[in-house]
Amino acid sequence: MSDASGAPQRVRVTADPDWYAPAGIALGIRVGDLVFTSGQGPIDEHGTTVGKGDFEAQARQALANLALVLKNAGSGLDQVVKATVFVTDIARDQEAFARLRAEYFVPHTFAESFVEVSSLADPDWLIEIEAVAVAG
């Protein structure tokens, strides 16, 4: 996939419904064989926060969203090469996410940043995950 100049084409990754469309944000962008996702939060397909106050429920929803975006781009969690995980309480959430990482990312050999932030896009969110993956 390239444009007339030979540069890789940028293709917007969507879902039906696209939970980020109302905000004017792409769920992800595929450029050649790489997929760059927007941060995936703990929201359902209608944009409603899932699992308020429950880190594991929120992490599972964010991971499910990430998996769907990658699938729609022709990739998957097993093709992730870099993930950035944002949490609001690293001391509370690090162990739980380590278990989920081992469950969702097989193989789980990729670069990762695990970062505590003071808040996320929605004050009820406890986690947000973005990734870069290979597609093809």
Side-chain angles (χ1 to χ4, degrees):
M1 298 188 310
S2 55
D3 65 17
S5 71
Q9 184 179 15
R10 295 165 47 140
V11 177
R12 182 183 179 119
V13 181
T14 63
D16 186 22
D18 185 329
W19 52 91
Y20 281 175
I25 300 169
L27 292 172
I29 298 289
R30 180 171 171 172
V31 181
D33 288 338
L34 291 176
V35 179
F36 301 84
T37 73
S38 290
Q40 297 302 310
I43 57 175
D44 64 18
E45 66 275 9
H46 305 293
T48 303
T49 298
V50 172
K52 290 182 183 178
D54 182 340
F55 176 80
E56 185 166 336
Q58 288 199 3
R60 287 184 182 281
Q61 182 66 49
L63 287 163
N65 291 348
L66 181 62
L68 180 61
V69 172
L70 291 172
K71 177 183 173 195
N72 290 355
S75 187
L77 292 175
D78 61 331
Q79 297 298 309
V80 169
V81 294
K82 172 68 168 95
T84 305
V85 182
F86 303 95
V87 297
T88 57
D89 188 335
I90 205 165
R92 177 195 64 207
D93 303 332
Q94 191 167 16
E95 186 178 312
F97 191 76
R99 287 191 312 274
L100 293 170
R101 180 188 312 110
E103 179 182 336
Y104 281 82
F105 292 98
V106 178
H108 54 277
T109 52
F110 56 88
E112 179 184 278
S113 298
F114 196 78
V115 182
E116 180 175 305
V117 295
S118 60
S119 65
L120 293 162
D122 183 300
D124 289 325
W125 290 10
L126 304 174
I127 186 169
E128 187 172 339
I129 307 167
E130 65 182 24
V132 178
V134 178

